Amino acid sequence: MESNESFAHTESHVHRDGEGVKIGIWLFLFAELVLFGGMFIVYTVYRFKYPDQFHLAAMEMNTTFGTINTIILLTGSLTMVLSIAAIQRKNRFLSILFVASTIFFGLLFLVNKFIEWSNEIGKGIYPGSDALLKKGNGEVLFFDLYFAMTGLHGLHVFIGIIVLTFMLVFLLKNKIVFDNYIKLENSGLYWHLVVVIWIFLFPLFYLIQ
Amino acid sequence: MIDEHTKNNHIIDYGTYIFVWLGLIALTSLTVTISGMRFGNYTLFLALLIAAIQATYVAANFMHIKTSEPIFKVFVGVVVFTLIVIFILTFIL
């Protein structure tokens, strides 16, 4: 009885600094932006140096794959934000369903990416391959940047899936509830940033034919 | 504590989010369509402009910048401005 009382006492005075945690996650997101920003600068510099070869290399890209993956990520972003909207309304079931959907869309994106990369590697196009090294400098740079940037982005999606899996477990164990969902909100912020980076990768690699 | 937490977290309609998502999908179709036409040098500019609008939409609505405290708006503004300055400096130096 006594322990129950002391538990209730601690519970009512629990201190959560939601704003502080949010500032922390935003600082991390800005570091991520600078990381990708640097790569975007490298891309832009070489694209201006080798405009024709970048166009030529981009002819090999499959716009349909890119478009489908964009729609998948945008839809994942929607389900992510809907899971937060659901937990705010105390609808735990919907929140769980939406987080699971987001994980599903993330996996779907990676499966698509895997098929796409397999196609390219099948054609002998991968960093350092003989087929690639026979091409011009600009084309080599395009594909090296393509594999580096979409690869790093894919890694971020993969990490996002792991983080969201933890969130799913927390929701199932009632550790994320309607008045304490900071973890879910911050995971969402990371997930949306990954989508924002893709929004820029998509036109730069798939839409320059 | 609970009151303060709820106060700082605006509850937005499911419909609003779905509406924003529809806008994002529409902009994706638009950018794909535009890339199919031949606008020459404007193609890259238009594609990046649409991407910037989409990114702003995601940040404002899905990342809740629109309903966040001013400090977060200032944060994002400063970072985006810095990135743009770095991009410009790369080209003029």
Side-chain angles (χ1 to χ4, degrees):
Chain A
M1 191 63 196
E2 202 182 307
S3 68
N4 267 354
E5 263 170 26
S6 74
F7 177 72
H9 180 77
T10 339
E11 192 73 339
S12 63
H13 284 84
V14 65
H15 178 71
R16 285 189 224 113
D17 186 2
E19 292 307 303
V21 175
K22 213 167 125 187
I23 289 179
I25 197 86
W26 271 103
L27 284 176
F28 165 69
L29 297 187
F30 293 148
E32 291 278 64
L33 269 185
V34 173
L35 170 71
F36 277 96
M39 297 180 103
F40 278 113
I41 289 178
V42 174
Y43 172 94
T44 318
V45 167
Y46 284 121
R47 178 159 172 178
F48 275 94
K49 201 171 175 191
Y50 304 102
D52 299 332
Q53 290 191 37
F54 262 56
H55 276 265
L56 195 65
M59 297 300 268
E60 301 266 353
M61 303 296 294
N62 191 329
T63 310
T64 315
F65 260 114
T67 312
I68 291 172
N69 261 352
T70 307
I71 293 170
I72 288 173
L73 276 193
L74 289 175
T75 312
S77 223
L78 172 72
T79 53
M80 183 69 239
V81 81
L82 287 179
S83 78
I84 295 165
I87 201 76
Q88 283 176 330
R89 289 169 172 77
K90 302 183 190 180
N91 196 335
R92 186 166 156 260
F93 172 74
L94 257 189
S95 187
I96 290 171
L97 194 73
F98 282 132
V99 171
S101 315
T102 313
I103 295 173
F104 169 76
F105 285 121
L107 287 171
L108 204 61
F109 175 88
L110 288 183
V111 167
N112 252 343
K113 198 90 234 145
F114 175 78
I115 297 171
E116 200 190 348
W117 273 30
S118 304
N119 277 342
E120 279 141 10
I121 293 169
K123 282 193 230 161
I125 299 173
Y126 52 89
S129 73
D130 292 338
L132 192 56
L133 291 177
K134 280 180 198 144
K135 294 176 187 273
N137 279 346
E139 283 181 84
V140 175
L141 277 164
F142 177 88
F143 281 109
D144 282 354
L145 281 166
Y146 162 74
F147 280 107
M149 290 173 86
T150 60
L152 186 65
H153 178 266
L155 181 68
H156 277 76
V157 174
F158 180 69
I159 293 168
I161 291 171
I162 294 173
V163 171
L164 287 179
T165 309
F166 274 100
M167 294 310 125
L168 194 63
V169 174
F170 288 150
L171 272 166
L172 288 167
K173 287 187 169 173
N174 264 330
K175 286 192 176 161
I176 293 177
V177 285
F178 82 97
D179 65 337
N180 181 13
Y181 53 86
I182 303 165
K183 287 190 199 79
L184 186 65
E185 210 178 351
N186 287 338
S187 313
L189 285 175
Y190 170 78
W191 189 260
H192 297 308
L193 180 90
V194 171
V195 175
V196 166
I197 291 165
W198 179 261
I199 285 175
F200 285 97
L201 286 176
F202 172 58
L204 292 180
F205 285 107
Y206 295 86
L207 298 180
I208 62 168
Q209 287 143 1
Chain B
M1 195 63 212
I2 289 171
D3 284 340
E4 205 179 302
H5 189 250
T6 358
K7 190 183 73 193
N8 291 335
N9 287 279
H10 301 255
I11 295 187
I12 296 158
D13 285 346
Y14 289 121
T16 310
Y17 290 129
I18 294 169
F19 198 69
V20 170
W21 172 75
L22 283 174
L24 289 168
I25 299 291
L27 283 169
T28 305
S29 327
L30 182 69
T31 195
V32 173
T33 316
I34 287 178
S35 80
M37 302 169 182
R38 307 211 174 266
F39 287 125
N41 288 334
Y42 293 108
T43 316
L44 176 66
F45 173 75
L46 285 172
L48 286 179
L49 181 71
I50 293 172
I53 296 171
Q54 283 182 308
T56 312
Y57 250 19
V58 172
N61 297 288
F62 290 172
M63 297 173 94
H64 296 137
I65 282 295
K66 214 155 103 179
T67 49
S68 287
E69 291 75 12
I71 183 75
F72 292 102
K73 292 173 192 167
V74 175
F75 253 23
V76 174
V78 168
V79 170
V80 172
F81 176 74
T82 311
L83 273 175
I84 292 172
V85 167
I86 294 172
F87 259 88
I88 293 170
L89 286 180
T90 310
F91 284 93
I92 59 170
L93 289 179

